[in-house]
Amino acid sequence: MKVAVLLAIVFFSVPGAAADGQRGILFITSVDPDQAGTSALIDEARSEIQDENRQVHFDIEYLDPYLFTKAGRMQAKAAAFMEIKYAHQSIDVIITIGPEALDFAEGYGRRLFPSAKIVCFCSWLPNSPGAPVLQPGVTGVRLEPNYSRTADLALLQNPGMRELVLVTGASWDDEMKAQIAEAELKASRRDLNVRTLKAASMQQITSELSNLNSDSVVLFLDITVDGTGQEYISDRILPELSRAANRPMYGSSRDQVGKGAVGGSVVDMKEAGRALGKVAERLVKGESSAKVPFVAAEFQHYVFDARQLNRWGIDPVPEGSTVLYQEFGLWDLYKWKLIGLLAAVIVEAVLIVLLFRMTVQRRRAEREQARLLTMEKLESSLAAALLQLPAGMESAAIDRGFKHFIE
């Protein structure tokens, strides 16, 4: 009973057993699946994995990295739990997200699922201290973010900037992102003072962000755990941090835009998820792992929050950028409706003018027709009268008819 309760705490699971003939895909993540980026990654990967001949069934297991770090036997207990849960289910591909998940899959995956191939999504460098060593046969997608793009842009948008503050948490993944970013930025931007602000606690990080120097700019990386061991979902705490900050806070992931980050050259986890799904799909369809190489990319695009741009007076943004949450004026909101209304008024005015001209022309034609008809009647009556007049009176009759015509 005690083990069952412990496992229930450790795992987030989407239950269900694949029926015979189905392809089985198992996501094992040590990054909270409630994180917006992780959720988008999984959803997009699932949408890409298709098999025309057999249905595909998906399961998700969440390995809480904090519990795995603190409890030495948790991996063995998790393996025992999965062995029972998936005893009657075939798993063709294991997709891991996070270092602890990959470590678990490499350590227990082949025993639990002998025929399963491993696909890894990783954001750490291959030789990073403490990072899992990729075993032969493991393929996947490696996220290689370029932090210099956002730093270069921040310098352009914030004249006088002298310091870039990297905000991160205390988990291994948080610290690894900070180490990669700091090493890259110190090498590429020697004119900047790059320092890392590690979240010892929310109170501490909020206080420091509210007292930055006027020549500082913030780059938010991630906070999944603070120094006290408290776990967080970064896009839920980011609004509070942004409100507290007295300097612009740029982001590293698209899901942070709209939560308080100005934006920048940010990672699109949906795009990364599609790449991850395409790799897994090739394995599902029978390709050998050896023939499916690792995909390494930035998956970055310029995305900004118009509200934060206005808050800090930041301008301009790179050409081709996506600007979200723009506040439009009356013309921007109803431009095409107003243009359509104006066009309708013009068309109606033209039609009225044409109708008026046609009416005038018709009346003129009617008057001309009436005049011609009168002349014809006069000519007819005059001719008849002349035929009946005595000789010598024709001239007087013609004069009277002409006078009547003129009148």
Side-chain angles (χ1 to χ4, degrees):
M1 181 66 179
K2 187 175 181 180
V3 172
V5 172
L6 184 58
L7 289 173
I9 295 173
V10 174
F11 288 95
F12 166 87
S13 175
V14 177
D20 291 341
Q22 288 186 334
R23 297 290 190 186
I25 309 295
L26 176 61
F27 287 89
I28 302 179
T29 174
S30 53
V31 182
D32 193 336
D34 284 336
Q35 295 270 11
T38 308
S39 177
L41 182 78
I42 293 173
D43 289 345
E44 291 298 319
R46 290 178 59 168
S47 68
E48 287 290 332
I49 302 172
Q50 302 293 333
D51 189 329
E52 297 82 0
N53 301 317
R54 297 166 67 179
Q55 292 184 344
V56 181
H57 179 82
F58 300 93
D59 286 279
I60 303 174
E61 299 290 349
Y62 172 43
L63 310 182
D64 190 319
Y66 183 72
L67 293 181
F68 266 67
T69 301
K70 299 299 181 183
R73 296 185 58 197
M74 285 306 300
Q75 285 199 358
K77 292 179 180 179
F81 172 79
M82 289 191 192
E83 187 172 19
I84 296 171
K85 180 178 179 179
Y86 297 100
H88 303 290
Q89 183 172 335
S90 175
I91 299 296
D92 298 277
V93 175
I94 301 172
I95 301 178
T96 69
I97 304 170
E100 294 86 358
L102 176 60
D103 188 55
F104 176 84
E106 290 184 328
Y108 293 91
R110 287 181 172 82
R111 177 170 68 81
L112 297 173
F113 314 108
S115 61
K117 301 168 184 176
I118 299 176
V119 176
C120 165
F121 178 78
C122 52
S123 57
W124 59 87
L125 297 177
N127 298 320
S128 300
V133 178
L134 292 176
Q135 295 181 1
V138 176
T139 187
V141 173
R142 176 176 288 111
L143 177 63
E144 296 184 347
N146 185 334
Y147 298 104
S148 296
R149 289 184 183 176
T150 297
D152 293 343
L153 180 64
L155 274 169
L156 177 65
Q157 295 177 332
N158 299 272
M161 170 184 167
R162 295 291 179 268
E163 181 180 60
L164 183 60
V165 181
L166 307 178
V167 175
T168 188
S171 71
W172 182 90
D173 201 43
D174 293 342
E175 293 181 344
M176 187 54 56
K177 288 180 183 177
Q179 290 176 18
I180 294 172
E182 188 172 343
E184 175 193 334
L185 292 168
K186 284 184 175 180
S188 63
R189 301 299 323 189
R190 297 182 182 276
D191 53 334
L192 281 178
N193 174 34
V194 179
R195 68 181 178 93
T196 299
L197 183 56
K198 183 176 176 181
S201 67
M202 279 301 296
Q203 183 178 4
Q204 167 263 335
I205 197 78
T206 301
S207 175
E208 293 205 38
L209 286 174
S210 63
N211 290 284
L212 295 172
N213 296 330
S214 59
D215 60 356
S216 298
V217 167
V218 181
L219 175 56
F220 183 86
L221 300 176
D222 205 357
I223 299 177
T224 57
V225 178
D226 67 14
T228 67
Q230 177 65 46
E231 298 183 13
Y232 297 99
I233 294 177
S234 60
D235 56 302
R236 295 180 185 175
I237 62 171
L238 190 53
E240 179 183 349
L241 298 180
S242 175
R243 286 192 296 269
N246 65 339
R247 297 295 299 152
M249 180 182 294
Y250 288 76
S252 56
S253 179
R254 178 163 182 151
D255 54 273
Q256 297 167 358
V257 182
K259 303 296 191 302
V262 171
S265 179
V266 294
V267 174
D268 186 342
M269 294 300 281
K270 289 185 176 181
E271 185 178 338
R274 290 191 288 271
L276 184 66
K278 288 176 181 178
V279 170
E281 184 181 36
R282 293 176 64 179
L283 300 184
V284 167
K285 291 182 176 180
E287 287 193 56
S288 168
S289 299
K291 295 183 179 180
V292 183
F294 245 92
V295 175
E298 300 174 358
F299 305 110
Q300 289 179 215
H301 305 280
Y302 286 109
V303 184
F304 298 90
D305 184 339
R307 298 167 300 183
Q308 294 297 322
L309 294 175
N310 293 333
R311 174 188 176 187
W312 300 108
I314 293 175
D315 188 64
V317 297
E319 185 177 353
S321 299
T322 299
V323 180
L324 306 176
Y325 309 105
Q326 298 187 65
E327 296 178 359
F328 297 102
L330 182 64
W331 173 252
D332 296 312
L333 290 173
Y334 302 105
K335 177 173 64 176
W336 294 112
K337 291 184 179 180
L338 292 173
I339 290 174
L341 179 62
L342 180 61
V345 170
I346 292 173
V347 170
E348 186 174 1
V350 170
L351 291 175
I352 291 173
V353 170
L354 291 175
L355 182 61
F356 178 76
R357 289 186 60 185
M358 290 174 63
T359 302
V360 171
Q361 290 174 354
R362 187 182 73 249
R363 290 179 178 176
R364 186 179 297 166
E366 289 175 349
R367 288 195 299 268
E368 180 66 18
Q369 187 177 11
R371 188 183 67 82
L372 294 174
L373 184 60
T374 301
M375 289 181 63
E376 289 178 0
K377 289 180 178 180
L378 181 60
E379 290 173 355
S380 298
S381 63
L382 183 59
L386 289 174
L387 292 174
Q388 298 176 4
L389 287 176
M393 297 184 67
E394 295 89 345
S395 296
I398 291 173
D399 289 340
R400 286 196 302 272
F402 183 71
K403 183 180 180 180
H404 178 70
F405 174 75
I406 293 175
E407 292 175 354

